[in-house]
Amino acid sequence: MKWISSHMIFGFNQKSVGLWIWLSLVAALLVPVTATAQTRSDTGRHKAKPPAVTADDSVSSVKDVKSGAAERRWHIGISGGVQGGSDLFRVETIDGFPVPWDPDTGGGFQSSRFTAALDRNFSFGLYMTRDLGSVWSVRADLGYSRMDVAAEALTGQTGAVFLFDRMDVLNLGLGVEVRLVRAPSYPFLNASMLVSHLGPVRAEDLEQTNMGGRLGLGYFHSSHEVWGLRAEARMSWTGFSIGNYVPQSELSDQPALDYDTEDHLIFFEFLIGIQANIL
């Protein structure tokens, strides 16, 4: 019985050792397979970091184009519109009798009193600006208009308007312009010193050159890297002197006059133009 028990125990131990050897071999084979499966499985625990996103070349090229457009600091433009003005003088005969006014000095009608004023007419202009930064610019402009001088005269019991004269008005401005919004299209303000020359066609004694100032408000619409549209309203003030000018009648005896003259002129302008960004 003892031998059998020992033999059985010995046999059991041999089987156990063999079993453990087989289990070890199987475990050794399964470990690499399991590790490989875990590596291939998409659990999200060991995902590689995504590559750094680089800026798109097209986006950078757009930025380069915009920065290149911003470097165009010189601008020129042409504009056209309507220009009007204020009164020049007022004349009335003291005795109240109507007289025929001499056409050579701006007459050609008969009245006891009349007021001469600058009437509205077409205006043409050129300008150039140089950007000092993203907000401020220096601006020089030249404007011309042949303006009618209208005589608002009393004829009998009613009034009438006659063409008194025509004046070539040449305005030269130099000043600054400021953008109110930092954007490709923007509203703006400008202020300029003004030199104004008046060249009458008939009343030559009224020819003169005066100093003044100008304020303007407008809007610039950028439609292209190079081209754009501008709309602008401006008001100008200049000096004015009647000098030795006195309207003459066609009568041999000149009537006594009540003569009231202005010492300044006001111009109103509404302009639309095209601007080119050149440099």
Side-chain angles (χ1 to χ4, degrees):
M1 294 292 293
K2 293 182 179 179
W3 179 85
I4 295 173
S5 299
S6 300
H7 180 74
M8 290 177 64
I9 293 171
F10 179 74
F12 176 77
N13 288 339
Q14 284 182 337
K15 291 180 179 180
S16 299
V17 171
L19 180 61
W20 280 108
I21 291 174
W22 280 106
L23 290 175
S24 300
L25 291 175
V26 171
L29 292 174
L30 290 177
V31 168
V33 174
T34 306
T36 304
Q38 289 181 351
T39 303
R40 292 179 180 177
S41 63
D42 189 7
T43 61
R45 297 179 181 178
H46 304 288
K47 284 186 177 180
K49 294 183 178 180
V53 178
T54 58
D56 190 3
D57 293 338
S58 61
V59 175
S60 61
S61 62
V62 171
K63 291 182 179 179
D64 293 339
V65 170
K66 290 184 178 180
S67 61
E71 292 300 324
R72 296 176 182 267
R73 296 184 176 274
W74 288 92
H75 318 281
I76 60 173
I78 182 173
S79 60
V82 177
Q83 177 173 296
S86 59
D87 295 347
L88 302 177
F89 55 85
R90 178 179 178 276
V91 177
E92 184 177 2
T93 59
I94 293 179
D95 58 14
F97 288 104
V99 297
W101 299 102
D102 184 11
D104 292 337
T105 60
F109 56 91
Q110 184 169 315
S111 175
S112 61
R113 69 171 183 262
F114 69 90
T115 300
L118 293 172
D119 202 0
R120 294 183 299 273
N121 210 337
F122 179 77
S123 177
F124 170 81
L126 299 171
Y127 67 89
M128 176 179 290
T129 63
R130 168 60 161 85
D131 293 342
L132 301 178
S134 60
V135 176
W136 294 91
S137 302
V138 177
R139 170 171 171 164
D141 60 83
L142 178 67
Y144 170 79
S145 178
R146 170 163 280 198
M147 302 183 70
D148 293 340
V149 180
E152 300 175 359
L154 178 65
T155 57
Q157 299 298 319
T158 61
V161 178
F162 301 94
L163 179 62
F164 183 81
D165 203 344
R166 285 190 174 93
M167 282 191 178
D168 293 323
V169 180
L170 188 66
N171 291 327
L172 175 63
L174 179 63
V176 295
E177 186 168 286
V178 56
R179 301 182 182 186
L180 301 182
V181 175
R182 294 186 180 182
S185 300
Y186 53 86
F188 61 85
L189 286 171
N190 55 44
S192 304
M193 294 181 60
L194 196 68
V195 178
S196 181
H197 178 76
L198 304 179
V201 175
R202 291 189 290 179
E204 297 179 357
D205 290 341
L206 288 177
E207 184 174 0
Q208 56 194 281
T209 300
N210 300 299
M211 301 291 294
R214 171 189 288 158
L215 291 176
L217 173 65
Y219 185 82
F220 172 74
H221 176 71
S222 178
S223 57
H224 188 267
E225 178 183 344
V226 177
W227 301 99
L229 300 175
R230 287 172 67 104
E232 186 175 2
R234 303 189 300 194
M235 179 183 293
S236 305
W237 300 263
T238 69
F240 178 73
S241 174
I242 207 70
N244 297 322
Y245 172 77
V246 177
Q248 300 295 310
S249 73
E250 293 182 319
L251 302 177
S252 57
D253 295 331
Q254 296 300 315
L257 301 176
D258 182 9
Y259 198 16
D260 185 17
T261 67
E262 298 292 338
D263 59 0
H264 68 280
L265 294 179
I266 299 177
F267 297 101
F268 306 93
E269 296 174 86
F270 299 94
L271 305 170
I272 297 176
I274 301 175
Q275 176 175 300
N277 309 317
I278 54 175
L279 295 174

